[in-house]
């Protein structure tokens, strides 16, 4: 996340609509470090309060007792923060409060908290809803935000004395190195899965029975004998196929011979039956 712009209106000592703090503009956009300086009461902490209000609806100094942040003579007040998320999308988060009359003790109405796109389209509204959106997209809770973003102003000692796990988690989120923690977790899970697969294969191998040497020799001899018998059977089959082909051809030729003999006998009978006509033909020709 990158804070691009902060706009404060009538918060604490900053009366009225203040000059926009453009952290992405020509003056501050190229600055490596920005110092907020000024005498006591000039509103240095109020800038950080406005940033915290816009994002989380509360401040480290006043927690949720935000009605005291409105300027004394102000009816309306609030803060607006423009930010860019890690995916490059631009958003505007705003918090505002209203007082009925210009009196310090006048009750402040419930604040308005909203998230809008860069074009002004409101996508989230409500204190709880906006806070949930910020925690989900900025990836910092309010406690983590106050422990780091406002570290030097308020809770430096709290950060130093924090639990190692909490401090490590917070630093991972800020530096983006939490990806290595996720990679480490994924690698551990994958390694465990592979180890389980290896154990299953080892169990399957252990379940295989190995033949003793003498029995293995006996089975190898039997296999060789069966292989030789199979080769002999193949040769006998080929010879039988040749004999069958020869026999089939012999049967075909025998049947043809019978048919020719029957045809010759029939022709001889017809020749004998035509003897008288042949004699008459001979006399007629003579």
């Amino acid at each position: 996340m990158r804070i691009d712009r902060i706009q404060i209106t009538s918060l604490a000592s900053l009366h009225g609509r203040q000059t926009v703090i453009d952290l992405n503009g020509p003056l501050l956009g190229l600055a490596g470090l920005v110092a907020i300086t000024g005498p006591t009461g000039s509103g240095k902490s109020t800038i950080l309060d406005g940033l915290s209000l816009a994002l989380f609806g509360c401040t480290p100094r006043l927690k949720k007792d935000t009605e005291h942040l409105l300027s004394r003579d102000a009816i309306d007040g609030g803060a607006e923060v423009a930010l860019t998320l890690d995916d490059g999308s631009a958003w505007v988060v705003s918090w505002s409060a209203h007082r009925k009359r210009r009196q310090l003790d006048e009750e402040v109405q419930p604040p308005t908290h909203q998230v809008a796109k860069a074009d002004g389209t409101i996508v989230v509204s409500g204190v709880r809803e906006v806070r949930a959106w910020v925690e989900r997209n900025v990836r910092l809770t309010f406690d983590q935000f106050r422990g780091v973003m406002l570290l030097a102003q308020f809770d430096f000692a709290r950060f130093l004395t924090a639990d190692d796990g909490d401090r490590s988690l917070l630093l991972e989120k800020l530096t983006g190195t939490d990806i290595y923690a996720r990679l480490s977790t994924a690698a551990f899970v994958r390694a465990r899965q592979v180890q389980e697969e290896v154990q299953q294969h080892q169990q399957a191998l252990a379940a295989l029975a190995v033949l003793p040497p003498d029995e293995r020799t006996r089975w190898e001899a039997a296999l060789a004998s069966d292989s030789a018998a199979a080769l002999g059977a193949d040769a006998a089959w080929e010879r039988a196929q040749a004999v069958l082909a020869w026999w089939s051809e012999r049967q075909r030729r025998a049947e043809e011979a019978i048919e020719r003999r029957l045809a010759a006998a029939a022709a001889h009978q017809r020749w004998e039956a035509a003897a008288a006509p042949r004699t008459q033909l001979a006399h007629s020709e003579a």
Side-chain angles (χ1 to χ4, degrees):
M1 177 196 70
R2 184 182 71 244
I3 302 297
D4 296 326
R5 186 179 71 253
I6 302 175
Q7 172 71 65
I8 293 176
T9 302
S10 297
L11 291 183
S13 60
L14 300 178
H15 298 273
R17 188 174 182 84
Q18 302 298 306
T19 302
V20 175
I21 302 174
D22 190 357
L23 298 173
N24 204 27
L27 294 178
L28 301 179
L30 299 178
L33 292 175
V34 177
I36 302 175
T37 63
T40 302
S42 60
K44 301 185 300 298
S45 299
T46 305
I47 296 175
L48 303 179
D49 286 338
L51 175 62
S52 181
L53 270 179
L55 293 177
F56 295 97
C58 55
T59 68
R61 290 193 299 173
L62 301 176
K63 301 298 188 289
K64 297 182 180 180
D65 190 20
T66 55
E67 64 270 13
H68 297 298
L69 276 175
L70 284 183
S71 300
R72 285 178 173 271
D73 58 348
I75 294 180
D76 298 298
E80 180 180 284
V81 172
L83 54 88
T84 301
L85 298 180
D86 294 341
D87 60 3
S89 60
W91 303 86
V92 177
V93 186
S94 61
W95 179 97
S96 61
H98 176 78
R99 183 185 289 138
K100 289 184 179 181
R101 292 185 296 273
R102 296 176 182 273
Q103 296 180 10
L104 182 60
D105 58 350
E106 184 66 31
E107 181 180 356
V108 177
Q109 302 300 312
T112 301
H113 211 178
Q114 296 177 336
V115 178
K117 295 182 179 179
D119 60 3
T121 304
I122 297 174
V123 295
V124 181
S125 181
V127 176
R128 293 182 180 179
E129 290 78 6
V130 171
R131 186 164 184 166
W133 184 92
V134 170
E135 290 181 353
R136 182 172 62 253
N137 289 277
V138 177
R139 296 187 300 169
L140 287 174
T141 65
F142 175 67
D143 287 338
Q144 292 171 337
F145 176 82
R146 62 177 287 199
V148 176
M149 300 297 290
L150 307 181
L151 182 61
Q153 181 68 12
F154 298 109
D155 293 330
F156 184 68
R158 177 173 173 268
F159 175 76
L160 292 178
T161 58
D163 179 77
D164 289 343
D166 294 339
R167 189 164 59 247
S168 174
L169 178 62
L170 190 54
L171 289 175
E172 283 182 356
K173 287 189 174 183
L174 288 173
T175 58
T177 55
D178 54 324
I179 185 175
Y180 298 109
R182 296 196 299 271
L183 288 174
S184 175
T185 301
F188 174 78
V189 172
R190 179 57 182 158
R192 185 172 58 186
Q193 293 175 348
V194 172
Q195 184 63 31
E196 292 176 353
E197 293 176 0
V198 170
Q199 291 178 355
Q200 293 175 357
H201 291 312
Q202 289 177 343
Q203 292 174 357
L205 288 174
L208 295 177
V210 180
L211 293 174
D214 54 346
E215 188 173 354
R216 178 184 177 87
T217 302
R218 181 171 64 82
W219 280 108
E220 287 177 346
L223 178 60
S225 176
D226 292 341
S227 298
L231 292 175
D234 289 340
W237 170 260
E238 292 178 356
R239 292 193 299 270
Q241 289 295 319
V243 172
L244 179 60
W246 173 84
W247 177 257
S248 298
E249 182 64 19
R250 182 178 181 279
Q251 286 294 101
R252 186 183 65 79
R253 293 184 178 184
E255 292 174 354
E256 290 179 351
I258 293 174
E259 290 177 354
R260 285 194 295 269
R261 285 196 298 271
L262 292 175
H268 180 71
Q269 290 178 356
R270 290 193 299 272
W271 175 263
E272 292 295 332
R278 285 199 306 274
T279 300
Q280 293 178 357
L281 179 59
H283 291 305
S284 294
E285 290 177 349

